[in-house]
Amino acid sequence: MLHQASCVAIADRGMLIEGPPGSGKSTLALALIDRGAMLVGDDGVTLAVRDGALWAAPPPNIAGLLEVRNVGLTRFPVRSARIALLLRLDPAAPRHVAQAASVSFLGVAIPMLAFDPAIGARAIRAELALRLHGA
């Protein structure tokens, strides 16, 4: 299943990043890559279920490409990843979160957090979100 989202792998877990065009998906992915994450896909990933877990893989036609604003398409190494968290970019995200919500893809539930990309330290906050709320 093709899904419109960006995705990075941090260690052995994947993080989907959803949001409308121009919301900062690629910018957040780039900031996470700068901190050691690996690209799975920018603005599109292929989702599949393997051994009861949701996995994302780079679609062949855009594998390794990430759009960097004011620079252009750039190429990065890619890998597949087991999805542990969905960050939904939303400027109205609540300030405090006690527990992540849950969403399902292909019958597999994963934790989901609304995430305001305009607040500083976004890459560090995303990594903490994965650590605290990721499956």
Side-chain angles (χ1 to χ4, degrees):
M1 162 188 164
L2 189 60
H3 182 68
Q4 187 170 1
S6 292
C7 185
V8 295
I10 298 173
D12 64 342
R13 299 188 294 170
M15 180 187 307
L16 283 173
I17 305 166
E18 286 184 349
S23 63
K25 297 180 298 292
S26 300
T27 300
L28 178 55
L30 183 62
L32 289 163
I33 290 167
D34 185 53
R35 292 180 52 81
M38 281 196 70
L39 180 66
V40 176
D42 181 41
D43 213 25
V45 293
T46 302
L47 298 178
V49 176
R50 280 195 256 161
D51 298 322
L54 184 67
W55 282 76
N61 59 329
I62 59 170
L65 296 176
L66 185 135
E67 181 187 356
V68 180
R69 289 269 167 118
N70 306 120
V71 175
L73 286 176
T74 54
R75 189 167 294 281
F76 290 89
V78 293
R79 62 169 278 196
S80 296
R82 180 187 58 82
I83 299 302
L85 181 67
L86 165 65
L87 289 184
R88 189 164 282 156
L89 302 186
D90 180 358
R95 180 176 175 159
H96 299 287
V97 177
Q99 183 174 339
S102 180
V103 294
S104 288
F105 293 95
L106 302 172
V108 178
I110 61 167
M112 185 277 296
L113 286 178
F115 188 87
D116 185 349
I119 296 172
R122 69 184 128 227
I124 295 167
R125 290 186 304 115
E127 289 171 348
L128 289 171
L130 181 62
R131 186 180 316 153
L132 295 173
H133 300 283

